[in-house]
Amino acid sequence: PADVMTIGYPFMDTLPEYDGFLFGMPTRFGTMCAQMKTFLDSTGQLWQKGSLKGKLVATLVSTGTQNGGQETTHLTAIPNFAHH
């Protein structure tokens, strides 16, 4: 559908131009949502080239309930960013 946002590969090629990233992500049972995981997985070619090495990254999360796993979402996101 036309109203569904997609991220095209030309956009992915611009990521190395940024100084850092701030990712806002919803929490699903104490981890980031599947869409965010898919996005990070799609940066594999950039990771292989070392294009994102040394970039700053921060996260903010959102849940529908108190004690919904906000802190564990931040923690489970760290390995994805540390490997890039």
Side-chain angles (χ1 to χ4, degrees):
D3 61 341
V4 175
M5 184 184 143
T6 60
I7 297 176
Y9 285 105
F11 169 75
M12 300 299 283
D13 293 336
T14 67
L15 292 178
E17 299 172 15
Y18 294 96
D19 294 327
F21 306 97
L22 174 61
F23 291 108
M25 59 187 91
T27 296
R28 298 289 189 267
F29 303 105
T31 188
M32 69 181 82
C33 65
Q35 294 88 340
M36 189 66 193
K37 290 179 185 179
T38 301
F39 169 75
L40 292 173
D41 286 346
S42 69
T43 63
Q45 290 182 347
L46 297 173
W47 167 80
Q48 189 176 23
K49 295 177 188 175
S51 300
L52 302 177
K53 192 173 187 176
K55 303 285 185 184
L56 298 175
V57 67
T59 58
L60 56 100
V61 299
S62 174
T63 61
T65 61
Q66 288 182 320
N67 305 317
Q70 296 94 333
E71 65 288 341
T72 56
T73 303
H74 292 293
L75 290 172
T76 58
I78 290 172
N80 292 288
F81 302 128
H83 287 123
H84 276 71

Coordinates of all heavy atoms in Angstrom, one line a residue:
P1 N 0.8 -1.2 0.0 CA 0.0 0.0 0.0 C 0.9 1.3 0.0 O 2.0 1.3 0.5 CB -0.8 -0.1 1.3 CG -0.7 -1.5 1.7 CD 0.5 -2.1 1.1
A2 N 0.3 2.3 -0.5 CA 1.1 3.6 -0.6 C 1.3 4.2 0.7 O 2.2 5.0 0.8 CB 0.3 4.5 -1.6
D3 N 0.5 3.9 1.7 CA 0.7 4.6 3.0 C 1.6 3.9 3.9 O 1.9 4.3 5.1 CB -0.7 4.7 3.7 CG -1.4 3.4 4.0 OD1 -1.0 2.4 3.4 OD2 -2.3 3.4 4.8
V4 N 2.3 2.8 3.5 CA 3.2 2.1 4.3 C 4.6 2.6 4.0 O 5.1 2.7 2.9 CB 3.2 0.5 4.0 CG1 4.3 -0.2 4.8 CG2 1.8 0.0 4.4
M5 N 5.3 3.1 5.1 CA 6.7 3.6 4.9 C 7.7 2.5 4.7 O 7.7 1.5 5.5 CB 7.1 4.4 6.1 CG 8.4 5.1 6.0 SD 8.8 5.9 7.5 CE 10.5 5.6 7.5
T6 N 8.5 2.6 3.7 CA 9.6 1.7 3.5 C 10.9 2.4 3.5 O 10.9 3.6 3.1 CB 9.4 0.8 2.2 OG1 9.4 1.7 1.1 CG2 8.1 0.0 2.3
I7 N 12.0 1.7 3.8 CA 13.3 2.4 3.7 C 14.0 1.8 2.5 O 14.2 0.6 2.4 CB 14.1 2.1 5.0 CG1 13.4 2.7 6.2 CG2 15.5 2.6 4.8 CD1 14.0 2.5 7.5
G8 N 14.3 2.6 1.5 CA 14.9 2.2 0.3 C 16.4 2.0 0.5 O 17.0 2.6 1.4
Y9 N 17.0 1.2 -0.4 CA 18.5 1.0 -0.3 C 19.3 2.3 -0.6 O 20.3 2.5 0.0 CB 18.9 -0.1 -1.2 CG 18.5 -1.4 -0.7 CD1 17.4 -2.1 -1.1 CD2 19.2 -2.0 0.4 CE1 17.1 -3.4 -0.6 CE2 18.9 -3.2 1.0 CZ 17.8 -3.9 0.4 OH 17.4 -5.1 1.0
P10 N 18.8 3.2 -1.4 CA 19.5 4.5 -1.6 C 19.7 5.2 -0.2 O 20.8 5.8 0.0 CB 18.7 5.3 -2.5 CG 18.0 4.3 -3.4 CD 17.7 3.2 -2.4
F11 N 18.7 5.2 0.6 CA 18.8 5.8 2.0 C 19.9 5.1 2.8 O 20.7 5.8 3.5 CB 17.5 5.7 2.7 CG 17.6 6.1 4.2 CD1 17.7 7.4 4.5 CD2 17.6 5.1 5.1 CE1 17.9 7.7 5.9 CE2 17.7 5.4 6.5 CZ 17.8 6.8 6.8
M12 N 20.0 3.8 2.7 CA 21.0 3.1 3.5 C 22.4 3.5 3.1 O 23.3 3.5 4.0 CB 20.8 1.6 3.2 CG 19.5 1.0 3.6 SD 19.1 1.2 5.3 CE 20.0 -0.1 6.0
D13 N 22.6 3.9 1.9 CA 23.9 4.3 1.5 C 24.3 5.7 2.1 O 25.5 6.0 2.1 CB 24.0 4.4 -0.1 CG 23.9 3.0 -0.7 OD1 24.2 2.0 -0.1 OD2 23.5 3.0 -1.9
T14 N 23.4 6.4 2.6 CA 23.7 7.7 3.2 C 24.0 7.6 4.6 O 24.5 8.6 5.2 CB 22.5 8.7 3.0 OG1 21.4 8.3 3.8 CG2 22.1 8.9 1.5
L15 N 23.8 6.5 5.3 CA 24.0 6.3 6.7 C 25.5 6.7 7.1 O 25.7 7.3 8.2 CB 23.6 5.0 7.2 CG 22.1 4.6 7.2 CD1 21.9 3.2 7.6 CD2 21.3 5.6 8.0
P16 N 26.5 6.3 6.4 CA 27.8 6.7 6.8 C 28.1 8.2 6.8 O 29.1 8.6 7.5 CB 28.7 6.0 5.7 CG 27.9 4.9 5.2 CD 26.5 5.4 5.2
E17 N 27.3 9.0 6.2 CA 27.5 10.4 6.2 C 27.1 11.1 7.5 O 27.5 12.2 7.8 CB 26.6 11.1 5.1 CG 27.0 10.6 3.7 CD 26.1 11.1 2.6 OE1 25.3 12.0 2.9 OE2 26.1 10.5 1.5
Y18 N 26.3 10.4 8.4 CA 25.8 10.9 9.6 C 26.9 10.8 10.7 O 27.7 9.8 10.7 CB 24.6 10.2 10.1 CG 23.4 10.5 9.2 CD1 23.1 9.6 8.2 CD2 22.6 11.6 9.3 CE1 22.0 9.8 7.3 CE2 21.5 11.9 8.5 CZ 21.2 11.0 7.5 OH 20.2 11.2 6.6
D19 N 26.9 11.7 11.7 CA 27.8 11.7 12.8 C 27.4 10.7 13.9 O 28.2 10.1 14.6 CB 28.0 13.0 13.5 CG 28.6 14.0 12.5 OD1 29.5 13.6 11.7 OD2 28.2 15.2 12.6
G20 N 26.1 10.5 14.0 CA 25.5 9.5 15.0 C 24.1 9.3 14.7 O 23.5 9.8 13.7
F21 N 23.5 8.5 15.6 CA 22.1 8.1 15.4 C 21.3 8.1 16.7 O 21.9 7.7 17.7 CB 22.0 6.7 14.8 CG 22.8 6.5 13.5 CD1 24.1 6.0 13.5 CD2 22.3 6.9 12.3 CE1 24.9 5.9 12.4 CE2 23.0 6.8 11.1 CZ 24.3 6.3 11.2
L22 N 20.1 8.4 16.6 CA 19.2 8.3 17.8 C 18.0 7.5 17.3 O 17.3 7.9 16.4 CB 18.7 9.7 18.2 CG 17.6 9.7 19.3 CD1 18.1 9.1 20.6 CD2 17.1 11.1 19.6
F23 N 17.9 6.3 17.9 CA 16.8 5.4 17.5 C 15.7 5.3 18.5 O 16.0 5.1 19.7 CB 17.4 4.0 17.3 CG 18.3 3.8 16.1 CD1 19.7 3.6 16.3 CD2 17.8 3.8 14.8 CE1 20.5 3.5 15.3 CE2 18.7 3.7 13.7 CZ 20.0 3.5 14.0
G24 N 14.5 5.6 18.1 CA 13.3 5.4 18.9 C 12.7 4.1 18.5 O 12.5 3.9 17.3
M25 N 12.4 3.3 19.5 CA 11.9 2.0 19.1 C 10.8 1.5 20.2 O 11.0 1.7 21.4 CB 13.0 0.9 19.0 CG 13.8 0.7 20.2 SD 15.2 -0.3 20.0 CE 16.5 0.9 19.5
P26 N 9.8 0.9 19.7 CA 8.8 0.3 20.6 C 9.4 -1.0 21.2 O 10.3 -1.6 20.6 CB 7.6 0.0 19.8 CG 8.1 -0.1 18.4 CD 9.3 0.7 18.3
T27 N 9.0 -1.3 22.4 CA 9.5 -2.5 23.1 C 8.5 -3.6 22.9 O 7.3 -3.5 23.1 CB 9.6 -2.2 24.6 OG1 10.6 -1.2 24.8 CG2 10.0 -3.4 25.4
R28 N 9.0 -4.8 22.6 CA 8.2 -6.0 22.5 C 8.8 -7.0 23.5 O 9.9 -7.6 23.2 CB 8.2 -6.6 21.1 CG 7.6 -5.6 20.1 CD 6.1 -5.5 20.2 NE 5.5 -4.8 19.1 CZ 5.3 -3.5 19.1 NH1 5.6 -2.8 20.2 NH2 4.7 -2.9 18.1
F29 N 8.2 -7.2 24.6 CA 8.7 -8.2 25.6 C 10.2 -8.0 26.0 O 10.9 -9.0 26.0 CB 8.4 -9.6 25.1 CG 7.0 -9.9 24.8 CD1 6.6 -9.9 23.5 CD2 6.0 -10.0 25.8 CE1 5.2 -10.1 23.1 CE2 4.7 -10.2 25.5 CZ 4.3 -10.2 24.2
G30 N 10.6 -6.8 26.2 CA 11.9 -6.5 26.7 C 13.0 -6.5 25.6 O 14.2 -6.5 25.9
T31 N 12.6 -6.4 24.3 CA 13.5 -6.3 23.3 C 13.0 -5.4 22.2 O 11.8 -5.1 22.2 CB 13.9 -7.7 22.7 OG1 15.0 -7.6 21.7 CG2 12.7 -8.4 22.0
M32 N 13.8 -5.0 21.3 CA 13.3 -4.1 20.2 C 12.3 -4.9 19.3 O 12.4 -6.1 19.2 CB 14.5 -3.5 19.4 CG 15.2 -4.5 18.6 SD 16.6 -3.8 17.7 CE 17.8 -3.8 18.9
C33 N 11.5 -4.1 18.6 CA 10.5 -4.7 17.7 C 11.2 -5.4 16.5 O 12.3 -5.1 16.2 CB 9.5 -3.7 17.3 SG 10.2 -2.4 16.3
A34 N 10.5 -6.3 15.8 CA 11.1 -7.0 14.7 C 11.4 -6.1 13.6 O 12.4 -6.3 12.9 CB 10.0 -8.0 14.2
Q35 N 10.7 -5.0 13.4 CA 11.0 -4.1 12.3 C 12.3 -3.4 12.5 O 13.1 -3.2 11.6 CB 9.9 -3.0 12.2 CG 8.6 -3.5 11.7 CD 7.7 -4.0 12.9 OE1 8.2 -4.3 14.0 NE2 6.4 -4.1 12.6
M36 N 12.7 -3.1 13.8 CA 14.0 -2.5 14.1 C 15.1 -3.5 13.9 O 16.1 -3.2 13.3 CB 14.0 -2.0 15.5 CG 15.2 -1.1 15.9 SD 15.1 0.4 14.9 CE 16.8 0.9 15.2
K37 N 14.8 -4.7 14.3 CA 15.9 -5.8 14.0 C 16.1 -6.0 12.5 O 17.2 -6.1 12.1 CB 15.4 -7.1 14.7 CG 15.4 -7.1 16.2 CD 14.9 -8.4 16.7 CE 14.8 -8.4 18.2 NZ 14.3 -9.7 18.7
T38 N 15.0 -5.9 11.7 CA 15.2 -6.1 10.3 C 16.0 -4.9 9.7 O 16.9 -5.1 8.9 CB 13.8 -6.1 9.6 OG1 13.1 -7.3 10.2 CG2 13.9 -6.3 8.1
F39 N 15.7 -3.7 10.2 CA 16.5 -2.5 9.7 C 18.0 -2.7 10.1 O 18.8 -2.5 9.2 CB 15.9 -1.3 10.4 CG 16.8 -0.1 10.2 CD1 16.9 0.5 8.9 CD2 17.6 0.4 11.2 CE1 17.7 1.6 8.7 CE2 18.5 1.5 10.9 CZ 18.5 2.1 9.7
L40 N 18.3 -3.1 11.3 CA 19.7 -3.3 11.7 C 20.3 -4.4 10.9 O 21.5 -4.3 10.5 CB 19.8 -3.5 13.2 CG 19.4 -2.3 14.0 CD1 19.4 -2.7 15.5 CD2 20.4 -1.1 13.8
D41 N 19.6 -5.4 10.6 CA 20.1 -6.6 9.8 C 20.4 -6.1 8.4 O 21.4 -6.6 7.8 CB 19.1 -7.7 9.8 CG 19.1 -8.5 11.1 OD1 20.0 -8.3 11.9 OD2 18.1 -9.3 11.2
S42 N 19.7 -5.1 7.9 CA 19.9 -4.7 6.5 C 21.1 -3.8 6.4 O 21.5 -3.4 5.3 CB 18.7 -3.9 6.0 OG 18.5 -2.7 6.7
T43 N 21.8 -3.5 7.5 CA 23.0 -2.7 7.5 C 24.2 -3.5 7.4 O 25.3 -3.1 7.6 CB 23.1 -1.7 8.7 OG1 23.1 -2.4 9.9 CG2 21.9 -0.7 8.7
G44 N 24.0 -4.8 7.2 CA 25.2 -5.8 7.2 C 26.3 -5.4 6.2 O 27.5 -5.5 6.6
Q45 N 26.0 -4.9 5.0 CA 27.0 -4.5 4.1 C 27.8 -3.3 4.6 O 29.0 -3.2 4.5 CB 26.4 -4.1 2.7 CG 25.9 -5.4 2.0 CD 25.3 -5.0 0.6 OE1 25.1 -3.8 0.3 NE2 25.1 -6.0 -0.2
L46 N 27.2 -2.4 5.3 CA 27.9 -1.3 5.9 C 28.8 -1.8 7.1 O 29.9 -1.3 7.2 CB 26.9 -0.2 6.4 CG 26.0 0.5 5.4 CD1 25.0 1.3 6.0 CD2 26.9 1.3 4.4
W47 N 28.3 -2.7 7.8 CA 29.1 -3.3 8.9 C 30.3 -4.0 8.3 O 31.4 -3.8 8.9 CB 28.2 -4.3 9.7 CG 29.0 -5.2 10.6 CD1 29.5 -4.8 11.8 CD2 29.5 -6.5 10.4 NE1 30.2 -5.9 12.4 CE2 30.2 -6.9 11.5 CE3 29.3 -7.4 9.3 CZ2 30.8 -8.2 11.6 CZ3 29.9 -8.6 9.4 CH2 30.6 -9.0 10.5
Q48 N 30.1 -4.7 7.3 CA 31.2 -5.5 6.7 C 32.3 -4.5 6.2 O 33.5 -4.8 6.3 CB 30.7 -6.3 5.5 CG 31.7 -7.3 4.9 CD 31.2 -8.1 3.8 OE1 30.2 -7.8 3.2 NE2 31.8 -9.3 3.6
K49 N 32.0 -3.4 5.7 CA 32.9 -2.4 5.2 C 33.5 -1.5 6.3 O 34.5 -0.8 6.1 CB 32.3 -1.4 4.2 CG 31.8 -2.1 2.9 CD 31.1 -1.0 2.1 CE 30.5 -1.7 0.9 NZ 29.7 -0.7 0.1
G50 N 32.9 -1.6 7.5 CA 33.3 -0.7 8.6 C 32.9 0.7 8.5 O 33.4 1.6 9.1
S51 N 31.8 0.9 7.7 CA 31.3 2.3 7.4 C 30.7 3.0 8.6 O 30.6 4.2 8.6 CB 30.3 2.2 6.3 OG 30.9 1.7 5.1
L52 N 30.2 2.2 9.6 CA 29.5 2.8 10.7 C 30.4 2.8 12.0 O 29.9 3.2 13.0 CB 28.2 2.1 11.0 CG 27.2 2.1 9.8 CD1 26.0 1.3 10.1 CD2 26.9 3.5 9.4
K53 N 31.6 2.4 11.8 CA 32.6 2.3 13.0 C 32.8 3.7 13.6 O 33.0 4.6 12.9 CB 33.9 1.7 12.5 CG 34.8 1.3 13.6 CD 36.0 0.6 13.0 CE 36.8 0.0 14.1 NZ 38.0 -0.8 13.6
G54 N 32.7 3.7 14.9 CA 32.9 5.0 15.6 C 31.8 6.0 15.7 O 31.9 7.0 16.2
K55 N 30.6 5.6 15.1 CA 29.4 6.5 15.1 C 28.8 6.4 16.5 O 28.7 5.3 17.1 CB 28.4 6.1 14.1 CG 29.0 6.0 12.7 CD 29.1 7.4 12.1 CE 29.6 7.3 10.6 NZ 29.9 8.5 10.1
L56 N 28.3 7.5 17.0 CA 27.6 7.5 18.3 C 26.2 7.1 18.0 O 25.6 7.3 17.0 CB 27.6 9.0 18.8 CG 28.9 9.6 19.2 CD1 28.8 11.0 19.6 CD2 29.6 8.7 20.2
V57 N 25.6 6.4 19.0 CA 24.3 5.9 18.9 C 23.6 6.1 20.3 O 24.2 5.9 21.3 CB 24.2 4.5 18.4 CG1 24.8 3.5 19.4 CG2 22.8 4.1 18.0
A58 N 22.3 6.4 20.3 CA 21.5 6.5 21.5 C 20.1 5.9 21.2 O 19.7 5.8 20.0 CB 21.3 7.9 21.9
T59 N 19.5 5.4 22.2 CA 18.1 4.8 22.0 C 17.1 5.4 23.0 O 17.5 5.9 24.1 CB 18.2 3.3 22.3 OG1 18.6 3.0 23.6 CG2 19.1 2.6 21.3
L60 N 15.9 5.5 22.5 CA 14.8 5.8 23.4 C 13.7 4.7 23.1 O 13.6 4.3 22.0 CB 14.3 7.2 23.2 CG 13.9 7.6 21.8 CD1 12.3 7.6 21.7 CD2 14.4 9.0 21.6
V61 N 13.0 4.3 24.1 CA 12.0 3.3 23.9 C 10.7 3.7 24.4 O 10.5 4.6 25.2 CB 12.5 2.0 24.6 CG1 13.8 1.5 24.1 CG2 12.6 2.2 26.1
S62 N 9.7 3.0 24.0 CA 8.3 3.2 24.3 C 7.6 1.9 24.6 O 7.7 1.0 23.8 CB 7.6 4.0 23.2 OG 6.2 4.2 23.5
T63 N 6.8 1.9 25.7 CA 6.0 0.7 26.0 C 4.6 1.2 26.3 O 4.3 2.3 26.6 CB 6.5 -0.1 27.2 OG1 6.6 0.8 28.3 CG2 7.9 -0.6 26.9
G64 N 3.7 0.2 26.3 CA 2.3 0.5 26.6 C 1.9 0.4 28.1 O 0.8 0.7 28.5
T65 N 2.9 -0.1 28.9 CA 2.6 -0.3 30.3 C 3.8 0.0 31.1 O 4.9 0.1 30.6 CB 2.3 -1.8 30.6 OG1 3.5 -2.6 30.2 CG2 1.1 -2.3 29.8
Q66 N 3.6 0.3 32.4 CA 4.7 0.5 33.3 C 5.4 -0.8 33.4 O 4.8 -1.9 33.3 CB 4.2 0.9 34.7 CG 3.7 2.3 34.7 CD 3.2 2.7 36.1 OE1 2.7 1.9 36.8 NE2 3.5 3.9 36.5
N67 N 6.7 -0.7 33.7 CA 7.5 -1.9 33.9 C 7.4 -2.9 32.7 O 7.4 -4.1 32.8 CB 7.2 -2.7 35.1 CG 7.2 -1.8 36.4 OD1 8.2 -1.1 36.5 ND2 6.3 -1.9 37.2
G68 N 7.4 -2.2 31.5 CA 7.2 -3.0 30.3 C 8.4 -3.5 29.6 O 8.4 -3.9 28.4
G69 N 9.6 -3.3 30.3 CA 10.8 -3.8 29.7 C 11.7 -2.8 29.1 O 12.5 -3.1 28.2
Q70 N 11.5 -1.5 29.4 CA 12.2 -0.4 28.8 C 13.7 -0.6 29.0 O 14.5 -0.5 28.0 CB 11.8 1.0 29.4 CG 10.4 1.3 29.1 CD 9.4 1.0 30.2 OE1 9.7 0.0 31.0 NE2 8.4 1.7 30.4
E71 N 14.1 -0.9 30.2 CA 15.6 -1.0 30.5 C 16.2 -2.2 29.8 O 17.3 -2.1 29.3 CB 15.8 -1.1 32.0 CG 15.3 -2.3 32.7 CD 13.8 -2.4 32.9 OE1 13.1 -1.4 32.8 OE2 13.3 -3.5 33.1
T72 N 15.5 -3.3 29.7 CA 16.1 -4.4 29.0 C 16.1 -4.2 27.5 O 17.0 -4.8 26.8 CB 15.3 -5.7 29.3 OG1 13.9 -5.6 28.9 CG2 15.4 -6.1 30.7
T73 N 15.2 -3.4 26.9 CA 15.3 -3.1 25.5 C 16.5 -2.3 25.2 O 17.2 -2.6 24.2 CB 14.0 -2.3 25.1 OG1 12.9 -3.0 25.4 CG2 14.1 -2.0 23.6
H74 N 16.9 -1.4 26.1 CA 18.2 -0.6 25.9 C 19.3 -1.6 25.9 O 20.2 -1.6 25.1 CB 18.4 0.4 26.9 CG 17.4 1.6 26.8 ND1 17.4 2.5 25.8 CD2 16.4 2.0 27.7 CE1 16.5 3.4 26.0 NE2 15.9 3.1 27.1
L75 N 19.3 -2.5 26.9 CA 20.4 -3.5 27.1 C 20.5 -4.4 25.9 O 21.6 -4.8 25.5 CB 20.3 -4.2 28.4 CG 20.5 -3.4 29.7 CD1 20.1 -4.2 30.9 CD2 21.9 -2.9 29.7
T76 N 19.4 -4.9 25.4 CA 19.4 -5.9 24.3 C 19.8 -5.2 23.0 O 20.1 -5.9 22.0 CB 18.1 -6.7 24.2 OG1 17.0 -5.8 24.0 CG2 17.9 -7.5 25.4
A77 N 19.7 -3.9 22.9 CA 20.1 -3.2 21.7 C 21.6 -3.0 21.6 O 22.2 -2.9 20.5 CB 19.4 -1.8 21.6
I78 N 22.3 -3.0 22.7 CA 23.7 -2.7 22.8 C 24.5 -3.7 21.9 O 25.4 -3.2 21.1 CB 24.2 -2.8 24.2 CG1 23.7 -1.6 25.0 CG2 25.8 -2.8 24.2 CD1 24.0 -1.6 26.5
P79 N 24.3 -5.0 21.9 CA 25.2 -5.8 21.0 C 25.0 -5.5 19.5 O 26.0 -5.5 18.8 CB 24.6 -7.2 21.3 CG 24.0 -7.2 22.6 CD 23.5 -5.8 22.7
N80 N 23.9 -5.1 19.1 CA 23.7 -4.7 17.7 C 24.5 -3.5 17.3 O 25.2 -3.4 16.3 CB 22.2 -4.4 17.4 CG 21.3 -5.6 17.4 OD1 21.4 -6.4 16.6 ND2 20.6 -5.7 18.5
F81 N 24.6 -2.5 18.2 CA 25.3 -1.3 18.0 C 26.8 -1.5 18.2 O 27.7 -0.9 17.5 CB 24.8 -0.2 18.8 CG 23.3 0.1 18.5 CD1 22.4 0.2 19.6 CD2 22.9 0.3 17.2 CE1 21.1 0.4 19.3 CE2 21.5 0.5 17.0 CZ 20.6 0.6 18.0
A82 N 27.2 -2.3 19.2 CA 28.6 -2.6 19.5 C 29.3 -3.3 18.3 O 30.5 -3.0 18.1 CB 28.7 -3.4 20.7
H83 N 28.6 -4.1 17.6 CA 29.2 -4.9 16.5 C 29.3 -4.0 15.2 O 30.0 -4.4 14.3 CB 28.4 -6.1 16.2 CG 28.6 -7.2 17.3 ND1 27.6 -7.7 18.0 CD2 29.7 -7.7 17.7 CE1 28.1 -8.6 18.9 NE2 29.4 -8.6 18.7
H84 N 28.6 -2.9 15.2 CA 28.7 -2.1 14.0 C 29.9 -1.1 14.2 O 30.4 -0.6 13.3 CB 27.5 -1.3 13.7 CG 26.4 -2.1 13.0 ND1 25.8 -3.2 13.5 CD2 26.0 -2.0 11.7 CE1 25.0 -3.7 12.7 NE2 25.1 -3.0 11.5

